[in-house]
Amino acid sequence: MTTTPSDSDLIQSDVVAYLQKHENKSMLRFITCGSVDDGKSTLIGRLLYDSKMLYEDQVAALDMDSKKHGTQGAEIDFALLVDGLAAEREQGITIDVAYRFFSTDKRKFVVADTPGHEQYTRNMATGASTADVAILLVDARAGLMVQTRRHSFICSLVGIKHVVVAINKMDLVGYSEERFKEIEKDYREFAKNLGFESIVCIPMSALAGANVTENSEHTPYYKGPALLPYLEEIDISESDDAPFRFPVQWVNRPNLDFRGFSGTVASGTINVGDQIIAIPSGKRSVVESIVAMGDDSRTSASKREAVTITLEDEIDISRGDMICGKDAPAGQSDQFSVHMIWMADEPMLPGRQYLFKINNRTIAGVVTDLRNKIDVNTLEERPGKNVGLNEIAVCKINLQAPIAFDPYKDNRQTGSFIIIDRQTNATVGAGMIDHSLRRAANVVWQDLEVGKSERASIKMQKPALLWFTGLSGAGKSTIANLVEKRLHDMGRHTYILDGDNVRHGLNKDLGFTDADRVENIRRVAETAKLMVESGLIVLSAFISPFRDERQMARNLFEDGEFIEVHVNTPLDVAEQRDVKGLYKKARAGQIKNFTGIDSAYEPPMKPEIVINTVDMSAAEAAETIVKALEDGGYLTAN
């Protein structure tokens, strides 16, 4: 890597001044994005090469790799600089996000080369989430593609304000001014409602180096700066009066004499002696000291600095809480309207329970309402019942407890979250908080004078929910009927929520898609909870094919109140019975999404009771369940 003459002189005369000059340069984070084979990796490689940001051994290795893996004949293949994975080189595409750091005399840069293929949109969103500027590449021959629009929308969604449209491969269209202006017009028309503060279009040939670091003689009609000078000069400074936000990553307590709160400052500045407020506890205190690695004498900390803060008072603060400035605390809510990008092959189903990780806190929650999906081609809103891979949607979410937050438009760090699958722990989505739902603040629990225990006591029983699950035809309703009849004869107070009966009323608007099945179970579980609160022993007979939904139902109840009864009947036995003729219709294609045929059934992992209807009659099964209730103390008063 070379230095400029001025730098060389400075190194000779005052090396300390040289180091301070480069240490204090501003940092710009940017991404390259766009469709497959639009030249993203080549652009970064050319940028580093022409700006002389490569060491001699790197150039030698690139030359050697180009001869072995390159696609440019005897010429250097610049894409190989960032396409580091073997699979990337073999396929000639970018799969993972590749980050590179480099600096010029004027600025330091971190560039993320993101994948163009739709399959890896999740990786593109990851790279965009921390970027200040997006360089969107467009193949001059092809014009705007679906991925061009998708990536533009994601950039807008994650809050990127400045976009450079690099209309690449201009050498292959003869550096046509007409073609350049045509694509520029198309893009500005498409992006006019995306909210970018600036859009700069540059005719370019990354392969030939035209308008990358210097203006090209091939494009005399273009009067703007080349790409690198533009990146060096663009103003990305943010207001320095943003409220102080410090999500607590962990409580640092190495010994009895020290208790600090560690994390990274998300926004604003804090000083020793400043008053703070902790969210959600609302407790207030004063900053006693600020500690950073190797520096115990700090008096302040600002955005992106990782520090440990100690307070004058021993107030309750845990991982996931947020320390804020006293005059501008973060919001607090458990219900939100959000935008989300779905990143998993399995679709997102409203009503299914997921884990949401926000501000160092992981909390369970559900998507209660899918308001609409967004067509990335037209930006139109359209209805949907689930959200598939790479789709973008506007949803409402409900978390199990309030969290500290800011709307994403106000703070990208404290207004974003990821969604985690409870079963696999895989990250399945990412989202941005639009706003809290006002009803979350307006709706509060009403204390009731008569409680569940009082209601159950006069019924001489312990309330519970018997959740029968199993394939269609397994015998759930038959056994539940016999159990209720037996309990009724014993003078106990019960009610049955039967799958078919409920669909005649409460759930008659639902079909049998996976999304409708999830909502079906959610409504039934909430209804059953109200009945258990009234002191009843409730019996629910539903296929309830998914473990997640059964777990969601279980989570609504106290320990010991949810009794999962697996009516374990093999598919071939249930199909032979076929008392309602449903399997026959499903096999004939007359019923879609039928559990066991073309829709999955996930048996319970650890049910409280297992009934094998091959080995016992329905009456024997009912007696087994009643005995389990007697042994568990459910049929006696407290």
Side-chain angles (χ1 to χ4, degrees), residues 336-387:
F336 303 94
S337 177
V338 305
H339 276 74
M340 72 165 59
I341 305 170
W342 196 247
M343 302 176 175
D345 294 328
E346 292 291 325
M348 185 282 291
L349 301 176
R352 173 165 290 182
Q353 198 166 66
Y354 299 97
L355 295 176
F356 294 78
K357 186 172 184 179
I358 177 171
N359 296 328
N360 299 323
R361 186 174 185 185
T362 302
I363 188 169
V366 296
V367 177
T368 57
D369 186 15
L370 171 55
R371 292 176 55 193
N372 58 265
K373 297 196 286 189
I374 299 174
D375 187 323
V376 296
N377 286 312
T378 62
L379 303 184
E380 292 180 346
E381 299 177 351
R382 53 188 174 85
K385 290 197 170 183
N386 58 40
V387 185

Side-chain angles (χ1 to χ4, degrees), residues 552-563:
M552 177 271 295
R554 182 185 290 272
N555 291 341
L556 294 176
F557 295 86
E558 297 178 8
D559 290 344
E561 285 185 348
F562 186 91
I563 303 170

Side-chain angles (χ1 to χ4, degrees), residues 37-39 42-43 46 71-72 75-76 78 137-142 166-177 179-180 183 202-212 216-221:
D37 202 28
D38 279 352
T42 301
L43 175 61
R46 171 60 79 175
T71 59
Q72 303 301 322
E75 302 296 324
I76 290 179
F78 294 105
L137 280 98
V138 177
D139 188 327
R141 299 168 300 173
I167 302 174
N168 194 27
K169 303 186 181 181
M170 289 295 293
D171 53 320
L172 300 182
V173 295
Y175 294 98
S176 167
E177 179 181 7
R179 183 58 177 156
F180 168 69
I183 295 174
I202 302 177
M204 191 178 297
S205 170
L207 187 64
N211 288 330
V212 176
S216 171
E217 62 182 13
H218 298 296
T219 56
Y221 51 85

